Amino acid sequence: MTDTVTTWGMTLQAAGCPKCGHTYLVPQNRINDTCPNCFAAKLSPQGARLRPEPPELVAPFNVSSTQVENALTQWLEKVWLRPSELNTQTLRSRLRKTYIPMFLVDGNVNGAWQAQAGYDYQVVSSQENFSSGQWKTQQITKTRIRWEPRAGTLEREYENIAVPATEDHDSLMTALGDYKIAAAQPYSVEALTDSSVRVPTLTPESAWSFAQSGFNHFAANDCQTASDAQHIEEFNFNGDYQNLNWTQLLLPVYTTAYKDDDGKIHRVMINGQNGHINGKLRASPKTAWLWAGIIAASAFGCFVVTLLTGLIGLAVPPVFLIAAVLFVVSLIIAVVALVPLMWAWNFNSKNK
């Protein structure tokens, strides 16, 4: 167990969140920062099993904080009645730059393989159609696949097989969208400026099944090419994976958060490469009740004017017509007072 790493070109301290359990590598002057995952507690120093070597590749933050702010402003336009903290300024002030780790695995694949190779071929048939009082023949061409067994030996070296390093990697990628790993750049200390790095929750041993699947995927593609086939299925490899070398790849993500009317914290994540926003938007029932009250007060005021106008109409009968119109208007305003409440309820129901 180690709690610091000094081989990344700077000293980084492992700091964990007592609320959500996430652990991050942070500069020592940011150990007591608010957790960039749950925003519900402060980080504190803790022991962690850290890999000593620096990351091999880092996908840079292509989206600037200003671009994030503009994107958040557009995102918030979906909500008419918002909690007090759901605004661009608050989200911008809490914005954190973090990195999601992945493993990169290099290795040699040597052994025997067998698979079903698929070859496309076309079948021409005809179809008779009765149209305009006569039969017409239409030629139809269909593409089918001919499957043939293939086998051989494979000796290949593969580099930078990307493998999850955290147990929640799939859910994070679903939320954030795809990253272009090919755009990653060699690691530099500058990449970590004002950033934290999440500590992997998986070890190379526990992530090996993902790495093996990755090696087999590339091996199957090579065997398909060697067989001159358009498809390959039931690929089976029997051999060794040698000279394995594990490093890390870092993927950029912005995180921020806001509290709803009940004080519940909602995290918002932004893909640092393409700006995709993931988060739960909540309408504010309190704000809805405030607007409903204002509108209802207006309806009541209109009704009072209606009564006064009706009294005048006792002396001046034509004024009764004005009172009738005002009465209808007050009813309409009273109905409109329900709109904010119904909208907020409907919005939150759709975004549970």
Side-chain angles (χ1 to χ4, degrees), residues 280-282 342-352:
K280 182 184 294 184
L281 287 170
R282 302 295 290 172
M342 295 175 63
W343 186 91
W345 177 85
N346 183 61
F347 185 89
N348 288 339
S349 295
K350 290 182 178 180
N351 291 275
K352 286 185 178 179

Side-chain angles (χ1 to χ4, degrees), residues 228-248:
D228 198 24
Q230 288 76 51
H231 314 274
I232 192 165
E233 288 187 355
E234 300 178 21
F235 180 82
N236 182 39
F237 175 74
N238 184 18
D240 298 321
Y241 306 88
Q242 302 171 338
N243 302 322
L244 300 178
N245 179 50
W246 295 74
T247 56
Q248 289 189 69

Side-chain angles (χ1 to χ4, degrees), residues 166-194:
T166 59
E167 294 170 319
D168 59 348
H169 180 83
D170 288 344
S171 62
L172 287 172
M173 294 303 102
T174 299
L176 291 166
D178 294 332
Y179 283 87
K180 294 182 180 179
I181 296 179
Q185 301 173 358
Y187 169 76
S188 65
V189 176
E190 291 74 18
L192 297 188
T193 302
D194 298 325

Side-chain angles (χ1 to χ4, degrees), residues 41-240:
K42 290 188 176 182
L43 300 175
S44 58
Q46 72 172 45
R49 191 178 300 277
L50 306 175
R51 297 188 62 82
E53 75 279 354
E56 180 178 350
L57 297 175
V58 178
F61 279 90
N62 292 334
V63 182
S64 68
S65 56
T66 300
Q67 291 172 315
V68 169
E69 184 173 351
N70 293 335
L72 287 172
T73 300
Q74 295 180 4
W75 182 62
L76 293 178
E77 291 176 356
K78 302 175 184 177
V79 192
W80 169 37
L81 304 167
R82 307 170 193 163
S84 60
E85 286 197 358
L86 187 53
N87 59 76
T88 304
Q89 292 73 25
T90 299
L91 294 176
R92 176 68 179 84
S93 67
R94 295 174 180 167
L95 201 63
R96 300 288 185 271
K97 295 171 64 176
T98 66
Y99 285 102
I100 299 171
M102 291 191 73
F103 288 128
L104 293 175
V105 193
D106 306 331
N108 298 328
V109 177
N110 302 307
W113 65 273
Q114 58 183 9
Q116 292 291 324
Y119 299 87
D120 291 339
Y121 68 97
Q122 294 182 331
V123 176
V124 179
S125 61
S126 60
Q127 179 177 338
E128 300 291 333
N129 294 310
F130 188 77
S131 178
S132 302
Q134 61 181 342
W135 288 96
K136 296 182 180 180
T137 301
Q138 180 182 6
Q139 183 174 293
I140 299 176
T141 302
K142 294 183 178 180
T143 300
R144 297 181 178 176
I145 303 174
R146 181 181 73 256
W147 294 99
E148 298 179 2
R150 290 289 185 270
T153 58
L154 177 72
E155 184 176 345
R156 288 287 191 279
E157 178 181 356
Y158 297 107
E159 296 182 347
N160 290 343
I161 305 294
V163 177
T166 59
E167 294 170 319
D168 59 348
H169 180 83
D170 288 344
S171 62
L172 287 172
M173 294 303 102
T174 299
L176 291 166
D178 294 332
Y179 283 87
K180 294 182 180 179
I181 296 179
Q185 301 173 358
Y187 169 76
S188 65
V189 176
E190 291 74 18
L192 297 188
T193 302
D194 298 325
S195 304
S196 59
V197 181
R198 189 173 169 194
V199 174
T201 59
L202 297 176
T203 64
E205 291 75 19
S206 58
W208 167 242
S209 61
F210 299 107
Q212 187 177 28
S213 296
F215 280 120
N216 289 350
H217 170 76
F218 285 101
N221 288 342
D222 284 348
C223 293
Q224 176 183 329
T225 301
S227 301
D228 198 24
Q230 288 76 51
H231 314 274
I232 192 165
E233 288 187 355
E234 300 178 21
F235 180 82
N236 182 39
F237 175 74
N238 184 18
D240 298 321

